[in-house]
Amino acid sequence: MTLSVEKTVELRIERFDPEKKRSYLSTFEVPIRKGTTLLDALMYVKDNLDDSLTFRHSCRMGICGSCAVNVNGKPMLACYTQVLDLQADSLLIEPVATFPVIKDLVVDIEPFFETYKRMKFYLLKPEQDLKTPAELLQSPAELKKFWDLALCIKCSICNSACPAAIDERFLGPSALTASFRFVSDSRDQGCPERLKPMADNIWLCTQCNSCTLFCPKSIQCADAIVDDHGLLVEAGAIPKTVKDVLESVYKFHNPMGTPQAKRMDWATGLNVKTYPETTKTDVLFFVCCSNVYDLRNQEVARLMVGVFERMGLSFATLGAEEWCCGDHMLRLG
Amino acid sequence: MEKSVHDVAIVGAGLAGLRAAVAAAEMNSKLNIAVISKHHPLRSHSVCAQGGTGAVMREKDSFELHAYDTVKGADFLADQDAVELFVKRAPNEIVLTEHWGCPWSRTAEGRIDQRAFGGHSFPRACFAADMTGFHEMHAIYGKATSYGKLKFYDEWFVTSLIVEGNKATGLVAIDLKTGVLRAIAAKAVIMATGGHERIYEFTTFSHSTTGDGMVMAYRAGAPLQDMEFVQFHPTGLVPSGVLITEGARGEGGYLLNANGERFMKRYAPEKMELAPRDVVSRAEQTEINEGRGLQGPYGPYIAIDLRHLGEEKINERLPLIRDVAIKLGGVDPVKEPIPIRPAAHYSMGGIKVNMRAEALVAGLYAAGECSCVSVHGANRLGTNSTAECLVFGAVAGEEAAKYASTAAQSGLPEERLRAEEQKIQDLIDRKGDEKVPAIRDEMRRVMNEKAWIYRSGEGLETALKEVRKLRERFKSVEFEDKSKPFNTALVNVLQLDFMLELAEVTAVTALARTESRGAHSRLDHPKRDDQNWLKHSLVYYTKEGPRLEYAPVTITKWTPVARTY
């Protein structure tokens, strides 16, 4: 028994023929019922329309991590996506980004797992502790600290969505999250060892949050990377560029290392009131170090003044008393 | 054909295969070990195991109790010496996976927590919420990556086991990435490829678990044991068949019929929803057959109601189930009951092995669902499958390592490799008007209709006839994709060939067993018949079809009694 067809959806699938080294687009019409997943739709094509369409799949319940594809530019698990939920009559299906394509929707995941193998994703502890025939104790609260991070199914969506992952040195959100999962496991004693492989490349992460946004298991990967940063800062294992930024904030109250006296230079020629001369205003304009000191960004701040003036709002800035808001400090750990 | 040489070759990288790999590497660090899997290890079906792993971890529990629960659950068809070994080794496996990082759920005191499961007289299911297999897999895979002499052949599809003079000497496989056929010579081969329930329409199985290893061993001369015993899990999500863990009932979930009645009181008044799976599935099927199922767009179903557990408990203990029910069933179990019905779930039968995981071919070992030790007899208890994968995966790894440490490499005869190459090429070149999906779907429909929970001689005869017809039709299967790299159309043909073989074996053995025992319920022979049928069925491959033999059950302590719950 089956449900009636709700609608027909056009799948435009980005294909790759490895023998002819040819990319091409195939279009298929697929009947969609309530409950039809994107994986069901792909399987319908393979069974009925074109047996050469190639994609990975297995568990069809969002736990094996095989079937990540890009749908209208966004990565998702085919088996965990209801076609009707996409609310579209036509879908562009592509292999996930960043990875080399083997055939059609199948990408090469070997490098992804080679990184994984290097990272020692098992408990690190002195040998004699692991020889004990009894379980290691762990309270529910201690388990909770890393449980969510342990839900990663290694589907590689985070890496495919990560702009930094195009740099081969970068270990990627998945591996960096897994590292922090072990560091936050009360049973693990491998922290210093775990930090080594990431120390010189984790800073490629710009905290754009794309990994977290697309994770099908809602894992806070980007936060885990910040936590890794924090561990590296604590351990003093940070590159000079990062150290310079942190020290600048400490010494000059801004990450650029520019004297605070130049804080209002951007407003030269404009009528901008500042603290402490002005202590009462409708709008307090927090300009931000990057708009204050970066020559290109200064234009943003200047235009903002124009906006306030056109709206007839009274506004003021903190003047030389405006310090770094701390966002960079937080994101660098 | 390009060859690689290993001491031990493990086919399949689920729980049993990975556990065997770690055990072999620990046993002898000099051994060259190959782990060959048709997908990446973490894509294996073991990650779908949810509810728990059974092991004696408390003073109030005992090996005796676990063993007897298992034997009784098995309807006395289990080999009791194997069961005794099994329960004794299980706790150490829990501790080992814990030491490798498995995030077991914990009690307030920080010990590994345990929940109730069907047919167990003590709550002995160690669990990691409702993702037990997933977390065990990730822990063991992590550990397995730490051995330098362990080589993974990911996405290599093994097509044949090579046996020369009743001795396993290696394998032939397609390297999927390139599509090139490769040979792997090995002193010992361990099969760990899982079960065959994809021969059914409504199943909890991953798409890719198709019983390959059972067939390869069978065709190479190793008999399969007890293949008529297929477990039907009481709670397959409608319409996909995705597993809703028995842990949902372990945590207190109710099964309800169309009248809102907890009907299990009429079938198993004492254990209710926590009776063994064969009992619960029969009860559900009876309710459906007698018109007390709920009506839905996919036919009649049963409801599992978790609402009284409350949102907090569901989120903490059954988070995956909630997510799966919402995403794939369109219901939130916090607010509504989940629509379920029995689904083909597990093969009690498999490659016949002894307590050392040795098959009846020298150098061939098997572990996990593709094997039959037999620990599960006619019906497996929940939590005993992951436990079996760990225990007998370890046994297989140890024994194969011992064997390979002293055995000599036999090599692979060229003509055998050429024949395999020719066989694959013939499949690719074959012309005909049959297609894989049509035959596959027809096989699944036939097995669903005729070899389901309730069986009859007449129905099974029809099933056998139909399956044999399908095997004939399979000889005219043609597919379009002739390219080399990652040819999944070819993989689908090979998998269908394996499944058809197993559908036939299942029908043949089920037809022969004229009694009802455990998961095998014959309407025309409704009683258990210890006089004639307290024996294992063994099926051997011949060119003319399966040849049946029988072997005695090992009984050490517990003589069969009537099985009530």
Side-chain angles (χ1 to χ4, degrees):
Chain A
M1 225 177 289
T2 47
L3 291 173
S4 58
V5 174
E6 297 261 331
K7 67 173 175 182
T8 300
V9 169
E10 177 189 64
L11 299 189
R12 288 172 294 129
I13 303 180
E14 178 70 31
R15 314 278 299 267
F16 178 68
D17 178 343
E19 288 177 326
K20 299 193 180 109
K21 306 243 177 299
R22 185 175 74 99
S23 295
Y24 60 107
L25 200 72
S26 293
T27 303
F28 305 100
E29 301 279 324
V30 180
I32 304 297
R33 299 174 164 86
K34 186 170 177 279
T36 302
T37 63
L38 186 59
L39 176 61
D40 294 331
L42 292 173
M43 289 174 64
Y44 176 89
V45 173
K46 191 164 183 71
D47 276 359
N48 300 289
L49 306 173
D50 182 352
D51 75 12
S52 71
L53 179 66
T54 305
F55 50 93
R56 288 193 184 97
H57 67 292
S58 188
C59 75
R60 52 81 162 104
M61 55 176 287
I63 193 96
C64 83
S66 299
C67 64
V69 290
N70 264 15
V71 182
N72 289 344
K74 291 180 183 168
M76 54 190 82
L77 294 178
C79 78
Y80 232 39
T81 303
Q82 296 284 335
V83 179
L84 290 178
D85 288 352
L86 297 170
Q87 297 182 328
D89 296 321
S90 176
L91 299 169
L92 175 65
I93 316 288
E94 298 165 292
V96 286
T98 311
F99 298 92
V101 178
I102 295 176
K103 181 179 179 183
D104 293 352
L105 302 173
V106 173
V107 296
D108 192 353
I109 50 166
E110 217 175 293
F112 176 76
F113 280 106
E114 281 311 312
T115 306
Y116 186 97
K117 285 178 194 165
R118 286 208 317 270
M119 305 274 291
K120 304 190 175 173
F121 291 141
Y122 45 91
L123 285 191
L124 293 176
K125 240 181 151 47
E127 195 68 11
Q128 69 269 20
D129 292 356
L130 292 173
K131 287 244 155 70
T132 135
E135 69 209 74
L136 305 164
L137 295 183
Q138 180 164 65
S139 73
E142 286 168 331
L143 172 66
K144 210 169 181 179
K145 277 190 187 155
F146 70 91
W147 172 263
D148 286 347
L149 301 178
L151 300 179
C152 171
I153 59 174
K154 313 292 173 214
C155 65
S156 81
I157 280 180
C158 53
N159 279 38
S160 85
C162 171
I166 52 172
D167 190 315
E168 278 172 12
R169 290 170 303 165
F170 188 56
L171 298 171
S174 174
L176 292 169
T177 303
S179 264
F180 190 68
R181 167 250 177 274
F182 278 96
V183 170
S184 7
D185 188 328
S186 58
R187 300 169 295 177
D188 192 77
Q189 292 171 279
C191 185
E193 200 175 337
R194 295 191 188 285
L195 295 180
K196 271 183 219 151
M198 66 173 80
D200 68 340
N201 61 75
I202 192 172
W203 311 100
L204 286 163
C205 167
T206 62
Q207 282 291 304
C208 72
N209 214 39
S210 177
C211 47
T212 300
L213 208 60
F214 291 111
C215 174
K217 294 285 151 183
S218 308
I219 297 169
Q220 305 294 307
C221 324
D223 290 356
I225 294 175
V226 170
D227 290 329
D228 282 329
H229 286 165
L231 294 168
L232 287 162
V233 171
E234 267 175 43
I238 50 174
K240 188 174 176 301
T241 43
V242 174
K243 204 167 156 222
D244 286 350
V245 168
L246 299 176
E247 274 180 3
S248 291
V249 175
Y250 183 68
K251 283 190 198 150
F252 302 103
H253 308 316
N254 69 72
M256 285 80 169
T258 316
Q260 192 68 354
K262 292 180 182 280
R263 174 66 70 167
M264 286 309 291
D265 284 8
W266 66 274
T268 308
L270 296 174
N271 181 22
V272 179
K273 295 196 182 95
T274 56
Y275 180 84
E277 292 75 29
T278 300
T279 53
K280 210 165 174 162
T281 180
D282 289 345
V283 174
L284 176 64
F285 179 25
F286 188 90
V287 193
C288 169
C289 303
S290 67
N291 292 333
V292 164
Y293 295 117
D294 184 282
L295 292 178
R296 227 164 33 146
N297 286 2
Q298 282 180 353
E299 195 58 25
V300 175
R302 293 176 67 88
L303 286 169
M304 198 63 208
V305 169
V307 171
F308 288 135
E309 283 170 348
R310 284 283 289 277
M311 292 173 77
L313 282 174
S314 101
F315 74 97
T317 77
L318 289 172
E321 292 300 310
E322 181 183 301
W323 290 10
C324 171
C325 67
D327 181 51
H328 281 61
M329 309 271 281
L330 278 171
R331 287 195 281 165
L332 287 172
Chain B
M1 199 183 295
E2 203 177 306
K3 272 180 230 168
S4 31
V5 180
H6 288 275
D7 295 304
V8 179
I10 301 166
V11 188
L15 267 185
L18 288 178
R19 183 66 190 90
V22 169
E26 287 283 330
M27 182 62 96
N28 181 348
S29 61
K30 291 197 186 79
L31 293 179
N32 259 310
I33 302 161
V35 179
I36 308 134
S37 172
K38 62 180 173 181
H39 37 215
H40 184 275
L42 293 178
R43 314 309 187 209
S44 303
H45 182 57
S46 297
V47 298
C48 299
Q50 296 173 355
T53 297
V56 174
M57 305 291 284
R58 297 283 185 276
E59 277 178 13
K60 282 181 187 158
D61 197 2
S62 73
F63 294 142
E64 182 96 359
L65 270 179
H66 189 187
Y68 184 66
D69 289 343
T70 302
V71 168
K72 186 182 170 193
D75 217 347
F76 298 92
L77 195 71
D79 288 316
Q80 296 179 6
D81 51 350
V83 173
E84 289 181 69
L85 173 77
F86 164 66
V87 300
K88 276 184 204 137
R89 283 194 62 152
N92 187 48
E93 292 298 322
I94 302 291
V95 171
L96 283 176
T97 51
E98 197 274 339
H99 287 182
W100 298 335
C102 184
W104 293 107
S105 293
R106 302 287 176 154
T107 63
E109 300 77 46
R111 297 198 61 189
I112 293 172
D113 204 357
Q114 293 183 294
R115 61 159 64 119
F117 245 74
H120 289 280
S121 55
F122 189 88
R124 64 169 73 92
C126 304
F127 61 99
D130 54 356
M131 285 160 273
T132 307
F134 169 83
H135 285 302
E136 287 170 337
M137 276 291 291
H138 282 247
I140 300 180
Y141 179 67
K143 183 66 187 170
T145 59
S146 73
Y147 299 96
K149 302 273 274 180
L150 211 159
K151 182 168 165 57
F152 286 95
Y153 292 86
D154 298 341
E155 299 188 322
W156 280 43
F157 185 96
V158 179
T159 61
S160 251
L161 166 70
I162 311 285
V163 170
E164 289 294 316
N166 201 40
K167 198 165 140 192
T169 63
L171 309 150
V172 178
I174 306 169
D175 172 3
L176 290 178
K177 200 178 193 175
T178 59
V180 174
L181 217 55
R182 306 288 196 98
I184 294 176
K187 298 175 191 170
V189 174
I190 303 175
M191 284 294 176
T193 54
H196 71 308
E197 275 48 59
R198 269 282 157 195
I199 63 174
Y200 289 93
E201 203 167 53
F202 194 65
T203 174
T204 60
F205 260 49
S206 292
H207 286 293
S208 58
T209 309
T210 46
D212 312 0
M214 288 182 182
V215 179
M216 287 187 261
Y218 173 63
R219 288 181 181 165
L224 304 179
Q225 180 171 268
D226 295 339
M227 290 298 288
E228 61 271 42
F229 296 101
V230 173
Q231 177 164 83
F232 297 91
H233 195 288
T235 52
L237 179 66
V238 176
S240 58
V242 161
L243 177 66
I244 298 295
T245 175
E246 183 168 330
R249 284 170 286 136
E251 296 295 345
Y254 300 146
L255 292 173
L256 305 174
N257 62 16
N259 306 325
E261 174 200 21
R262 283 179 72 188
F263 56 86
M264 282 311 299
K265 65 185 178 207
R266 285 185 275 111
Y267 302 87
E270 206 177 303
K271 293 273 187 179
M272 293 292 285
E273 280 88 354
L274 287 179
R277 290 174 179 171
D278 59 332
V279 176
V280 181
S281 281
R282 267 194 299 274
E284 288 181 7
Q285 195 63 49
T286 304
E287 292 298 300
I288 288 172
N289 291 354
E290 292 177 0
R292 289 187 296 277
L294 292 97
Q295 292 303 321
Y298 305 97
Y301 66 91
I302 298 295
I304 178 163
D305 194 350
L306 307 179
R307 288 174 298 181
H308 56 285
L309 303 181
E311 186 166 2
E312 199 182 327
K313 190 165 186 182
I314 290 174
N315 285 347
E316 192 203 321
R317 301 279 193 129
L318 305 164
L320 179 69
I321 287 317
R322 184 176 184 194
D323 201 41
V324 160
I326 291 170
K327 295 251 170 60
L328 302 176
V331 298
D332 181 352
V334 169
K335 297 179 190 129
E336 315 164 67
I338 311 172
I340 51 92
R341 60 188 175 88
H345 178 64
Y346 187 83
S347 171
M348 269 69 78
I351 302 163
K352 193 227 166 354
V353 292
N354 61 19
M355 280 161 63
R356 290 184 299 281
E358 298 163 329
L360 296 183
V361 164
L364 179 63
Y365 300 77
E369 192 171 347
C370 76
S371 72
C372 182
V373 185
S374 158
V375 164
H376 311 305
N379 175 64
R380 174 176 71 76
L381 292 188
T383 78
N384 274 356
S385 77
T386 45
E388 188 212 8
C389 285
L390 295 172
V391 169
F392 286 99
V395 169
E398 290 161 7
E399 294 296 330
K402 274 191 239 164
Y403 175 84
S405 300
T406 56
Q409 196 77 247
S410 309
L412 299 169
E414 280 302 324
E415 69 275 11
R416 183 70 185 78
L417 301 182
R418 270 197 300 274
E420 187 65 18
E421 214 157 10
Q422 194 57 50
K423 191 187 89 185
I424 305 287
Q425 196 56 48
D426 288 348
L427 270 181
I428 296 168
D429 296 339
R430 193 189 273 173
K431 297 279 173 231
D433 48 10
E434 293 289 352
K435 297 282 175 221
V436 166
I439 297 180
R440 180 199 65 203
D441 293 352
E442 181 63 7
M443 167 192 71
R444 289 174 177 168
R445 189 190 61 77
V446 168
M447 294 306 285
N448 246 56
E449 280 181 13
K450 308 293 182 194
W452 195 244
I453 295 174
Y454 287 115
R455 303 162 168 188
S456 71
E458 200 185 337
L460 291 166
E461 263 170 38
T462 316
L464 187 55
K465 224 181 284 168
E466 295 288 328
V467 169
R468 284 184 170 150
K469 258 191 245 165
L470 291 171
R471 296 198 68 180
E472 271 310 305
R473 284 173 57 188
F474 178 79
K475 291 177 183 162
S476 316
V477 156
E478 183 184 335
F479 58 99
E480 307 295 325
D481 190 357
K482 306 294 180 193
S483 66
K484 282 249 170 207
F486 231 96
N487 191 330
T488 49
L490 173 62
V491 166
N492 286 348
V493 175
L494 293 164
Q495 291 183 157
L496 178 59
D497 178 38
F498 290 147
M499 286 189 284
L500 283 167
E501 185 87 73
L502 293 169
E504 181 178 354
V505 165
T506 304
V508 165
T509 49
L511 180 60
R513 186 174 285 271
T514 50
E515 66 156 352
S516 290
R517 180 185 298 273
H520 175 68
S521 304
R522 287 281 297 257
L523 293 168
D524 45 352
H525 299 278
K527 293 239 155 59
R528 191 174 83 194
D529 177 1
D530 289 336
Q531 191 87 39
N532 297 303
W533 285 105
L534 186 57
K535 57 188 181 187
H536 298 294
S537 64
L538 288 176
V539 54
Y540 288 83
Y541 176 83
T542 76
K543 286 219 166 72
E544 294 72 46
R547 177 170 61 80
L548 269 169
E549 277 185 22
Y550 291 92
V553 175
T554 307
I555 292 180
T556 55
K557 285 186 186 160
W558 302 285
T559 46
V561 294
R563 187 165 163 259
T564 53
Y565 287 98

